[in-house]
Amino acid sequence: MTEASSYIPPGWEYNPAAWSQRIPIVLLALVGFAIATYLSLYQLDVIDQVWEPFFGDGSETILNSKISHILPVPDAALGAFGYLVDAVTGVIGRTNRWKRMPWIVIIFGLAVGPLGFVSLMLVVFQPVLFSAWCTLCLGSAVISVLMIGPAMDEMLASLQFLKRAKDHEKVSTWKVFWGIDSEIDKMNE
Amino acid sequence: MWARILNIMIGIWLMAAPGILSYETAAAHNGHIVGPVIATFATIACWDATRNVRLWNYPLGGWLLLAPWILSYDYSLAIVSDMLCGVLVLVFASVQRKSTGKYGGGWRVLWK
């Protein structure tokens, strides 16, 4: 068995941690990061205007709304941080990380999931609370939703691996989760 | 895949319909809330490992059939639109694509 094919999880047909699987998600996260950074620069008054091709003063209404400033930092800055976490946790680790670094895959999955959920909530708030739409906010939400599906397969591979560790009598799931090599080697996978 | 894309389009329609058909109040809020959620679930279901998320649109499709009567819409075009969307969402969400991969037993094995 070649090294690469041994990284395919048991019962799978491809390796969900392969770079071809991960790079598109990281690129999406970087685009999201760029959009959210731009919007937060507007919210922090670094730039005076925001690009809005379709909805008139919609973007301004949304980006200056109470909800967007409910936290000490503007919501777009928080979004930018979220995308950065997605990109960084998407890049860290080699192509066997679903079993050698389960913790990073789980953090990656947990970062992508809630970011998508928060984006969805903000999309609902736009028309319901403020009767306005914000083009780039919608674009950012589309990106974060697009990331969920492709990120979840790797999460699944890691969770299945942790489940096998849990069912294994002589292995500590905790140590496997943190990627302790000597513990993972005991599983003979 | 085509069924997922159609449900995404229905979700977007529900978001846009209040503006296009110019109706307000509860009917508009309902579309603005349910539309993005349907589109999100359908998008996540585009990927093979999470294709069962399509089923999460069942309750939302069902809700669209009830919403006009529970929220007592006063605009008949909104009633027609939501009822029609509800039926279509239920139909498209039930379209099952043959799985292309095995995924080591899928999410189900995690609870065994």
Side-chain angles (χ1 to χ4, degrees):
Chain A
M1 200 189 272
T2 62
E3 192 180 51
S5 72
S6 73
Y7 293 164
I8 297 176
W12 286 56
E13 283 150 355
Y14 67 96
N15 175 10
W19 287 112
S20 59
Q21 297 284 317
R22 281 155 63 187
I23 285 174
I25 307 173
V26 172
L27 289 178
L28 276 176
L30 290 176
V31 175
F33 175 73
I35 295 176
T37 303
Y38 171 73
L39 294 175
S40 57
L41 287 179
Y42 172 76
Q43 289 184 313
L44 292 166
D45 294 323
V46 178
I47 49 177
D48 300 334
Q49 284 193 321
V50 64
W51 186 71
E52 175 51 84
F54 303 116
F55 305 114
D57 57 1
S59 282
E60 289 172 20
T61 308
I62 297 299
L63 293 168
N64 293 311
S65 65
K66 272 190 191 149
I67 296 261
S68 67
H69 290 94
I70 210 165
L71 298 165
V73 291
D75 62 344
L78 214 60
F81 176 73
Y83 284 117
L84 197 60
V85 172
D86 290 348
V88 170
T89 54
V91 164
I92 291 175
R94 291 186 293 137
T95 53
N96 59 356
R97 70 173 191 163
W98 60 268
K99 63 176 169 181
R100 288 291 171 180
M101 296 173 85
W103 62 274
I104 194 78
V105 178
I106 304 297
I107 293 176
F108 173 63
L110 290 179
V112 170
L115 187 74
F117 176 74
V118 171
S119 298
L120 177 62
M121 260 179 23
L122 292 176
V123 166
V124 168
F125 287 162
Q126 288 180 37
V128 174
L129 299 182
F130 309 110
S131 304
W133 296 101
C134 158
T135 303
L136 285 178
C137 311
L138 290 173
S140 163
V142 169
I143 287 173
S144 54
V145 166
L146 281 176
M147 287 164 55
I148 299 176
M152 284 306 130
D153 59 349
E154 200 183 356
M155 179 104 155
L156 174 61
S158 271
L159 288 173
Q160 288 177 345
F161 181 69
L162 291 171
K163 176 74 164 79
R164 289 196 293 279
K166 187 171 156 259
D167 294 344
H168 200 291
E169 283 168 11
K170 290 172 186 151
V171 171
S172 152
T173 315
W174 179 247
K175 288 182 183 167
V176 168
F177 175 78
W178 290 110
I180 311 292
D181 281 333
S182 56
E183 203 72 13
I184 293 171
D185 288 338
K186 286 188 206 164
M187 291 177 65
N188 286 322
E189 278 195 15
Chain B
M1 185 73 176
W2 57 270
R4 308 292 95 82
I5 290 169
L6 287 170
N7 266 355
I8 293 171
M9 288 163 65
I10 293 172
I12 295 170
W13 164 252
L14 288 166
M15 291 168 76
I20 294 171
L21 304 176
S22 54
Y23 57 88
E24 287 174 355
T25 63
H29 285 327
N30 192 48
H32 286 150
I33 295 170
V34 177
V37 181
I38 288 176
T40 298
F41 289 166
T43 305
I44 296 171
C46 284
W47 280 270
D48 217 22
T50 43
R51 66 185 179 283
N52 280 340
V53 173
R54 72 189 164 86
L55 301 174
W56 297 6
N57 270 334
Y58 277 160
L60 294 167
W63 165 250
L64 283 174
L65 297 177
L66 301 174
W69 317 109
I70 292 176
L71 303 175
S72 45
Y73 290 9
D74 47 13
Y75 187 61
S76 49
L77 211 51
I79 300 176
V80 174
S81 167
D82 273 20
M83 299 282 288
L84 197 63
C85 287
V87 172
L88 292 175
V89 164
L90 288 175
V91 170
F92 296 141
S94 66
V95 173
Q96 199 172 4
R97 187 168 41 124
K98 234 187 218 167
S99 174
T100 51
K102 292 199 194 76
Y103 303 97
W107 297 90
R108 180 173 322 163
V109 301
L110 300 177
W111 286 275
K112 261 182 201 161

